[in-house]
């Protein structure tokens, strides 16, 4: 989601980091009933995501779990940004082959020529292919709608990620995870006063301790299979030791030192749709080379060793199945989503 180049633009005078919410909150639904709702149609939309960004990573996971690859095309932006934010410089001639844009900001300005970028340029973003206009950057709603509103185009065996009978519990878990974990690492990392950093740090680890205890006797956060709650937590956990522990000073302990969160995270990583959408190279380059106020040398650390994510997790004995009683895994990916060239220098 971040649009940051160098210093965070969201640090208040109090020293706190405050995340801006999505500005464009239209929805893509099965049966539109207002001007803010768009028709779900295969071949009409392009999902623009960064493999570095945890907020965008959610949508990549859900698109894959639901088997929507043929219905919604995917564009992967460069993990490095310049002063115009997310760019398509990994593509031939530096242009997205479908939209023809060099920068995602062009889709924002196609939607609102005067004020389209005033609240930043964030991912994930869904763009209408025929017009090049941004439809939505509402990252919490995008994944929910991909799981529900696109049911007609989902693969057989796709999981129910937001079942009605569990929504109240999922929402409650997500609320705490968002404030203290997903956003909490940013509040710690971008704090500009010691007291604000310590507040975020304390809340983060209190919530992680609570989640670690919750996962002692259950395989997933809510219910017996993967839900929205697991996806939202996973994208922060998978980045924790690689960037948040050191880069954002969230260093009471590593994820690998939690008794339940660590095997839980490995369980998800080894589930099709999760680990095969993770790119630690994108992740580390973005955080360590874009946040120059935190890492002015832009040196990218070599570790941790990714192979530890493939160690046995032994959580099958807790019961439950990843995709539900009638669900099946998505087909294997043919190739990585978007590899990067070797580091220079």
């Amino acid at each position: 989601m971040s649009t940051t180049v160098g210093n965070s633009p969201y640090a208040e005078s109090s020293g706190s980091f405050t995340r801006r919410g999505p500005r464009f909150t239209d929805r893509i639904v099965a049966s539109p009933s207002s001007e803010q709702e768009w028709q779900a149609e295969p071949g009409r939309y392009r999902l623009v995501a960064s493999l570095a960004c945890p907020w965008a990573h959610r949508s990549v996971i859900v698109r894959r779990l639901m088997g929507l690859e043929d219905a919604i095309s995917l564009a992967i932006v460069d993990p490095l940004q310049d002063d115009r934010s997310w760019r398509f410089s990994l593509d031939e001639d530096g242009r997205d082959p479908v939209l023809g844009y060099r920068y995602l900001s062009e889709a924002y300005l196609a939607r609102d020529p005067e004020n389209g970028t005033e609240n930043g340029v964030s991912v994930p973003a869904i763009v209408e292919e025929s017009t090049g206009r941004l439809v939505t950057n509402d990252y919490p709603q995008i994944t929910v709608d991909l799981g529900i509103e696109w049911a007609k185009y989902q693969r057989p065996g796709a999981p129910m990620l937001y079942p009605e009978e569990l929504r109240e519990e999922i929402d409650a878990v997500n609320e705490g995870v968002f404030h203290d974990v997903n956003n909490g690492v940013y509040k710690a990392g971008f704090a500009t006063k010691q007291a604000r950093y310590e507040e975020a740090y304390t809340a983060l680890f209190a919530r992680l301790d609570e989640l670690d205890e919750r996962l002692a006797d259950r395989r997933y956060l809510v219910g017996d299979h993967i839900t929205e709650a697991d996806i939202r937590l996973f994208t922060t956990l998978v980045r924790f030791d690689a960037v948040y522990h050191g880069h954002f000073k969230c260093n009471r302990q590593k994820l690998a030192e939690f008794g339940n969160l660590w095997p839980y995270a490995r369980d998800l990583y080894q589930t099709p749709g999760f680990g095969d959408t993770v790119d630690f190279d994108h992740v580390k380059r973005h955080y360590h080379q874009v946040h120059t106020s935190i890492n002015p040398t832009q040196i990218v650390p070599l570790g941790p060793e990714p192979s530890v994510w493939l160690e046995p997790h032994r959580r099958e004995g807790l019961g439950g199945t990843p995709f539900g009683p009638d669900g099946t895994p998505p087909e294997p990916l043919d190739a990585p989503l978007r590899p990067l060239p070797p580091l220079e220098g």
Side-chain angles (χ1 to χ4, degrees):
M1 181 182 180
S2 168
T3 64
T4 305
V5 178
N7 290 315
S8 167
Y10 308 138
E12 298 177 342
S13 59
S14 65
S16 298
F17 168 84
T18 301
R19 181 171 299 281
R20 298 172 182 170
R23 176 163 178 244
F24 297 100
T25 57
D26 289 9
R27 295 177 60 195
I28 302 173
V29 299
S31 300
S33 60
S34 73
E35 291 184 356
Q36 284 71 50
E37 293 181 338
W38 300 56
Q39 180 70 53
E41 298 177 31
R44 182 176 176 181
Y45 304 103
R46 189 157 177 80
L47 172 63
V48 181
S50 164
L51 298 180
C53 171
W55 316 93
H57 188 190
R58 299 173 178 181
S59 61
V60 176
I61 292 173
V62 174
R63 172 181 175 268
R64 176 145 163 66
L65 292 179
M66 296 296 102
L68 292 170
E69 290 94 334
D70 292 336
I72 304 169
S73 66
L74 177 65
I76 300 297
V77 293
D78 194 320
L80 304 184
Q81 301 161 287
D82 61 22
D83 57 2
R84 291 180 62 180
S85 191
W86 300 109
R87 54 188 182 172
F88 296 104
S89 47
L90 301 181
D91 292 297
E92 186 176 354
D93 193 35
R95 291 185 182 275
D96 179 81
V98 173
L99 302 174
Y101 291 151
R102 292 190 181 276
Y103 291 89
L104 178 57
S105 59
E106 295 173 67
Y108 279 70
L109 293 171
R111 171 69 182 267
D112 183 347
E114 294 185 4
N115 302 305
T117 61
E118 69 176 5
N119 202 34
V121 178
S122 66
V123 288
I126 296 183
V127 180
E128 185 178 40
E129 291 187 0
S130 62
T131 64
R133 291 188 302 161
L134 179 77
V135 176
T136 179
N137 68 338
D138 190 350
Y139 62 94
Q141 192 64 47
I142 285 173
T143 54
V144 171
D145 287 342
L146 288 177
I148 296 174
E149 301 294 336
W150 288 79
K152 181 178 178 181
Y153 309 107
Q154 293 168 5
R155 66 179 179 85
M160 291 286 295
L161 299 177
Y162 195 51
E164 289 191 30
E165 69 275 13
L166 297 178
R167 287 180 189 178
E168 184 175 350
E169 187 176 1
I170 291 171
D171 290 345
V173 171
N174 285 347
E175 182 75 7
V177 167
F178 170 78
H179 288 291
D180 298 333
V181 182
N182 298 147
N183 202 38
V185 292
Y186 286 85
K187 288 190 286 187
F190 285 130
T192 56
K193 293 190 177 178
Q194 185 71 28
R196 303 291 83 77
Y197 159 72
E198 292 183 8
E199 289 171 1
Y201 175 103
T202 300
L204 166 66
F205 283 101
R207 185 68 65 181
L208 290 176
D209 287 339
E210 176 188 298
L211 293 165
D212 193 62
E213 183 177 353
R214 181 184 182 94
L215 289 164
D217 59 359
R218 60 173 74 196
R219 189 171 179 185
Y220 304 108
L221 286 174
V222 182
D224 295 325
H225 65 272
I226 291 163
T227 68
E228 272 277 331
D230 299 295
I231 293 166
R232 295 185 186 204
L233 178 58
F234 174 78
T235 59
T236 297
L237 294 184
V238 79
R239 289 161 174 77
F240 199 88
D241 289 359
V243 289
Y244 303 142
H245 178 269
H247 186 65
F248 278 174
K249 307 178 186 69
C250 300
N251 60 352
R252 192 195 77 179
Q253 69 194 92
K254 296 179 179 179
L255 173 66
E257 295 166 348
F258 281 92
N260 300 310
L261 276 169
W262 174 224
Y264 160 81
R266 296 202 311 277
D267 187 2
L268 291 177
Y269 184 90
Q270 294 169 34
T271 300
F274 285 82
D276 53 18
T277 62
V278 172
D279 193 307
F280 288 112
D281 199 6
H282 279 246
V283 169
K284 291 192 292 184
R285 291 202 205 186
H286 172 73
Y287 284 91
H288 291 289
Q289 294 191 302
V290 171
H291 300 158
T292 54
S293 62
I294 297 175
N295 184 36
T297 65
Q298 298 181 290
I299 297 295
V300 180
L302 292 178
E305 173 53 54
S307 63
V308 298
W309 284 90
L310 299 177
E311 293 177 357
H313 54 77
R314 299 183 176 88
R315 286 183 60 84
E316 301 92 336
L318 294 174
T321 55
F323 305 104
D326 301 317
T328 58
E331 292 293 323
L333 286 174
D334 294 332
L337 291 173
R338 175 66 79 171
L340 291 175
L343 285 165
E344 297 180 357

